[in-house]
Amino acid sequence: MAQVPQRFFDALAVRTWCGLSLRALGRAREEIDAINVYPVADGDTGTNLYLTVESAVAAVEAVFSAHEVDEGPRDAGKAPLDAYEGPSLADAVGAMAHGALIGARGNSGTILAQLLRGMAQVLAARGDSAHTEGPGLRLALRHAAASARQAVAHPVEGTVLTVASAAADAADGTEGDCAEVARAAYEGARAALAATPGQLPVLERAGVVDAGGHGLVTVLAALVETFTGRVPGPVAAPHARAEHATQEEHPADEDENGPAFEVIYLLEAEDAAVARLRRRLDALGDSLVVVGGDGLWNVHVHVDDAGAAVEAGVEAGRPYRIRITHFGRGDAHTTGTERPPRERTQRAVVAVVPGEGLAALYAEAGATTLLARPGEPPASGELVQAVRRAHAREVVLLPNDAELRHTAAAAAEQARTEGVRVALIPTRSAVQGIAALAVHEPERRFDEDVVAMTSAAGATRHAEVTVAERQSWTTAGICQAGDVLGLIDGDVAVIGADVSQVAATVLDRMLSAGGELVTLVLGDEAPPAVADQLEARVREAYLAVDTVVYRGGRQGALLLVGVE
């Protein structure tokens, strides 16, 4: 379904842009990781950009929640009909910039955070203005490019900085509205990205475009979609040899003899202290990027002496969230004293579940669970922590939500850098996760177990019955607040007034294609008799079909339905 376009750059446009950027980076993450050869060929630029934007999205959503703004149900196929009052543009862009700053990962993620901060500085300076138009967006893109260059100790052409400058130059050449400015910036960035191999020898040898620049073009494509409702494209594709661009192919690349560690931390410090810190870190290593301001900074540097880089931060102020990565060896966590590691189990299942009842059910089956409260989807960092809690060499990850697919993929990639073998099964509902868990056998070979679980999940159709929170367009027509909605495989299929009737209609439609087992998961607010009524309906109308019922607790939906 096409995105509903925004006319102006206001708080809602910020929210839309952030969400679209996260989804677009989720789709492009693996491709961007694959072409990451500069400044270090560590294959994580796409993942780092995704995690940076994910943090920005969380901050923007928190601002909207604080203003008690609700766009209505998030179910597929819905868009709200009525307008609403929300946070100011300054509030939204400030949250976006702050979220990106505190969540910035890697060289490109840190630069992206500064680009967003540069935009926010211009847009927030407009005072109480509820929105800005084309000229304001042009000025914001120009300041973003300039501030990003200032944050990098030694700017290099052929990188994301070049792409950002080209986007600002192209935007300066138009006098139109936000949509026209966004399109011009995107086209300028796309052309600059295609030219990066001619500017940076390491890219030319590898046969790829710059990974960070590719990520920025992806984010600008999302900006175009925000204002036009359409995805521009295609983004300039990596060159033909992208999938083969590894250090082994070009052992003479500059990064082979480069610093051994990447050091990143947040720092509370005064401007004068940060100026001294820049000089000291510049002498210690390279790829130095220091972004932020107003007392809070994100520091990124590649060094051989990680301890000295951290000590420099201590002298400047209060560093925290310190992350040290040894290139090629995964992560080194430097907080606290090291304890002898306990023995890992061979295999575990990690699952996101929507309610306490299902969490208990999954736990009884041996899974490590992460509870997703209604309206509060977990971030990738929480999924990584759940994988760590499982403490296994091999992990099968069940997101149980279509909206978590990219988040789970980023978490899986992050866990793999820590030496965990992770397989992501793209379950879209908890009932698919139940089917996968039912055939899980830890004694089997890992690949065989994953195939069996994936097949079981894929053979399970899923549905849910919920209540509309506001008037909305749906794939089944217009619903009103309080209507009962039946969704099949993510799309609204039934609109009614009675929970039992809607549930029965949904079940009949699902079983019309056949089935052997019906799984019903009741939420706390579901009518107590609905399970008995549905069981009786299956027993009377569908021979040889079994039914199993679980209590899901506070799971958001009144009822989850699975048909295998």
Side-chain angles (χ1 to χ4, degrees):
M1 180 177 174
Q3 172 67 38
V4 178
Q6 306 295 320
R7 292 183 59 199
F8 309 111
F9 199 55
D10 57 8
L12 181 55
V14 173
R15 186 187 202 184
T16 302
W17 180 34
C18 286
L20 291 174
S21 295
L22 187 64
R23 287 195 284 275
L25 286 170
R27 292 189 295 269
R29 182 186 59 80
E30 291 183 358
E31 179 180 67
I32 295 172
D33 282 346
I35 64 170
N36 173 203
V37 297
Y38 183 85
V40 176
D42 49 357
D44 63 357
T45 291
T47 299
N48 287 338
L49 289 169
Y50 180 90
L51 295 172
T52 301
V53 174
E54 181 185 55
S55 183
V57 169
V60 171
E61 290 300 323
V63 165
F64 273 79
S65 295
H67 283 76
E68 298 182 345
V69 174
D70 184 6
E71 285 189 87
R74 286 182 161 185
D75 300 322
K78 297 182 182 181
L81 295 177
D82 50 327
Y84 60 84
E85 295 293 329
S88 69
L89 173 61
D91 288 338
V93 295
M96 173 186 71
H98 181 74
L101 175 67
I102 64 174
R105 298 287 296 271
N107 190 69
S108 294
T110 308
I111 293 172
L112 178 61
Q114 186 64 14
L115 287 166
L116 297 179
R117 177 178 170 81
M119 291 187 70
Q121 287 175 324
V122 170
L123 298 171
R126 304 180 74 83
D128 296 330
S129 175
H131 68 268
T132 191
E133 300 188 34
L137 182 57
R138 286 201 307 272
L139 185 60
L141 290 168
R142 169 56 61 200
H143 185 65
S147 62
R149 280 188 176 271
Q150 292 169 1
V152 178
H154 302 284
V156 174
E157 296 306 323
T159 65
V160 63
L161 297 177
T162 304
V163 175
S165 295
D169 290 343
D172 283 343
T174 181
E175 299 293 332
D177 59 9
C178 285
E180 187 174 339
V181 171
R183 276 194 296 264
Y186 167 77
E187 293 297 341
R190 191 160 68 110
L193 176 65
T196 55
Q199 297 173 290
L200 203 54
V202 64
L203 301 179
E204 186 174 24
R205 284 196 296 273
V208 298
V209 297
D210 179 65
H214 192 307
L216 179 58
V217 172
T218 302
V219 170
L220 290 173
L223 185 63
V224 175
E225 186 180 0
T226 299
F227 294 117
T228 67
R230 299 180 182 276
V231 181
V235 173
H239 293 184
R241 291 171 61 230
E243 65 271 22
H244 304 298
T246 63
Q247 282 184 291
E248 287 74 12
E249 253 190 1
H250 36 85
D253 283 350
E254 294 89 337
D255 63 351
E256 185 177 73
N257 297 315
F261 296 97
E262 177 185 58
V263 179
I264 304 174
Y265 50 80
L266 291 179
L267 177 71
E268 293 178 355
E270 299 298 326
D271 289 8
V274 171
R276 292 191 296 270
L277 174 67
R278 288 178 190 268
R279 292 191 293 271
R280 180 166 179 187
L281 292 179
D282 193 25
L284 284 173
D286 59 29
S287 297
L288 174 61
V289 185
V290 181
V291 305
D294 302 320
L296 180 63
W297 309 83
N298 191 306
V299 179
H300 170 281
V301 67
H302 294 172
V303 293
D304 281 320
D305 190 344
V310 175
E311 288 173 7
V314 173
E315 291 182 6
R318 186 178 79 87
Y320 61 102
R321 292 194 188 178
I322 301 168
R323 187 177 184 88
I324 299 173
T325 301
H326 190 304
F327 293 120
R329 294 191 183 179
D331 293 339
H333 302 283
T334 61
T335 56
T337 58
E338 295 295 327
R339 294 180 298 175
R342 61 185 176 93
E343 184 66 22
R344 289 181 179 270
T345 59
Q346 183 60 32
R347 189 175 309 161
V349 176
V350 174
V352 181
V353 290
E356 296 89 345
L358 280 177
L361 174 68
Y362 272 73
E364 287 176 8
T368 298
T369 63
L370 176 61
L371 187 63
R373 296 174 179 82
E376 298 179 24
S380 58
E382 294 176 90
L383 278 167
V384 173
Q385 289 296 336
V387 171
R388 290 173 182 156
R389 288 202 316 272
H391 204 66
R393 299 182 184 89
E394 302 168 338
V395 169
V396 180
L397 185 56
L398 306 175
N400 291 339
D401 186 338
E403 295 296 321
L404 288 179
R405 179 165 57 96
H406 297 313
T407 301
E413 189 63 33
Q414 197 173 352
R416 291 182 189 115
T417 68
E418 300 178 10
V420 182
R421 187 181 184 188
V422 182
L424 171 62
I425 298 178
T427 48
R428 299 164 60 89
S429 170
V431 291
Q432 289 187 320
I434 291 172
L437 199 54
V439 300
H440 168 54
E441 292 185 14
E443 295 77 17
R444 276 192 298 224
R445 291 179 58 245
F446 185 64
D447 292 341
E448 293 175 354
D449 198 29
V450 170
V451 168
M453 295 176 72
T454 302
S455 297
T460 303
R461 298 189 69 196
H462 63 93
E464 67 176 85
V465 177
T466 188
V467 176
E469 297 179 16
R470 60 184 293 153
Q471 185 188 53
S472 303
W473 288 106
T474 80
T475 51
I478 299 175
C479 72
Q480 305 297 326
D483 281 350
V484 180
L485 308 179
L487 290 83
I488 299 177
D489 293 333
D491 292 323
V492 177
V494 183
I495 301 174
D498 181 77
V499 174
S500 297
Q501 290 179 357
V502 169
T505 302
V506 166
L507 189 58
D508 286 340
R509 292 191 184 184
M510 295 180 74
L511 286 172
S512 66
E516 299 176 356
L517 176 65
V518 173
T519 300
L520 304 175
V521 183
L522 269 67
D524 277 350
E525 297 182 3
V530 69
D532 292 338
Q533 293 168 355
L534 293 176
E535 278 191 285
R537 190 179 192 87
V538 171
R539 190 166 52 249
E540 294 167 4
Y542 302 97
L543 298 177
V545 178
D546 295 323
T547 306
V548 59
V549 180
Y550 300 110
R551 300 287 172 179
R554 294 188 302 110
Q555 62 184 25
L558 299 175
L559 176 70
L560 300 177
V561 182
V563 173
E564 299 178 46

